[in-house]
Amino acid sequence: SLSDNKYKIDFISFKIRDAESGYVLFEIDKDPEEPELTPEQEAALDNDPKARTISYQFGPLFFNLKTVGTTLKFSVGDKPCKNFRMIERHYFRDQLIQSFDFTFPFCIPNSVNDWENIYDIPNLSKEVKKEMIDNPYETTSDSFYFVDGDLIMHNKAEYDYSPLDEDDDKTVEEIIGSK
């Protein structure tokens, strides 16, 4: 629940980019004018499974990438934060595709931090890629955030790899190529 975040870690911005070209695939910034949540609002969000879920639409060309870089800017409350760890698991139709494990060793209290992580895109068969493209949002992930071994947050994501407008005139085979 949101109340488990006793370190008051707050995500300020998040960017996903192609690690080779630097092309930005997704970027979001928190509105600095957004007021803090009341306990009642936190409780309502805890009861809404979609409140901690983000939806991405990358398009099928995503499968041509080799590595993706993410940059997370976050703030920490008034407690020191040791071993801030993210374990992220990616699934297609409830089958694990890949798991990632990253650790930020220490965050000083009342600090703002940038956390860069590099993800290798898994080597998937053409058949699996086609299934993922043809079935939007059946690819999901769970991100578990820990501080010194204690779970403080759990976020979810769902992914759509179906063609974007600029891909409309291409076949799936043209898009995913021989990779």
Side-chain angles (χ1 to χ4, degrees):
S1 78
L2 293 174
S3 61
D4 292 335
N5 184 2
K6 59 187 171 224
Y7 296 90
K8 303 291 185 222
I9 293 173
D10 188 25
F11 297 154
I12 299 168
S13 66
F14 183 64
K15 177 170 63 176
I16 303 172
R17 62 178 173 75
D18 172 19
E20 289 183 7
S21 71
Y23 179 80
V24 175
L25 301 161
F26 177 85
E27 190 166 17
I28 190 167
D29 293 294
K30 182 177 179 181
D31 179 356
E33 304 299 316
E34 185 177 304
E36 296 227 4
L37 296 176
T38 66
E40 295 78 21
Q41 290 169 320
E42 280 188 13
L45 288 175
D46 280 343
N47 294 324
D48 179 4
K50 287 292 187 183
R52 304 295 287 178
T53 302
I54 190 163
S55 298
Y56 296 108
Q57 185 176 19
F58 290 132
L61 292 174
F62 183 86
F63 292 112
N64 292 344
L65 304 177
K66 292 182 177 71
T67 53
V68 172
T70 63
T71 305
L72 174 65
K73 180 177 277 200
F74 64 97
S75 63
V76 176
D78 59 3
K79 293 182 180 181
C81 178
K82 293 195 305 191
N83 300 314
F84 183 31
R85 181 179 180 195
M86 177 184 68
I87 297 175
E88 189 167 278
R89 296 210 162 94
H90 291 253
Y91 303 90
F92 177 60
R93 294 186 171 156
D94 298 323
Q95 181 164 349
L96 183 66
I97 296 171
Q98 194 160 13
S99 187
F100 301 93
D101 192 335
F102 303 106
T103 301
F104 198 102
F106 184 77
C107 305
I108 62 173
N110 302 309
S111 63
V112 174
N113 305 273
D114 287 315
W115 193 1
E116 173 82 14
N117 291 309
I118 301 296
Y119 295 76
D120 290 324
I121 303 298
N123 191 10
L124 302 169
S125 71
K126 280 187 178 183
E127 295 77 23
V128 170
K129 290 178 191 177
K130 184 173 180 347
E131 282 295 306
M132 292 169 76
I133 291 166
D134 291 343
N135 295 281
Y137 302 116
E138 289 190 33
T139 304
T140 60
S141 66
D142 285 294
S143 299
F144 301 94
Y145 297 90
F146 300 86
V147 173
D148 237 5
D150 293 330
L151 179 65
I152 62 160
M153 283 186 279
H154 175 205
N155 293 334
K156 295 176 169 284
E158 55 187 15
Y159 303 84
D160 177 358
Y161 300 106
S162 64
L164 303 170
D165 291 341
E166 64 264 22
D167 298 327
D168 284 347
D169 59 342
K170 297 178 184 172
T171 67
V172 170
E173 287 72 24
E174 288 174 312
I175 292 168
I176 62 176
S178 61
K179 185 176 174 195

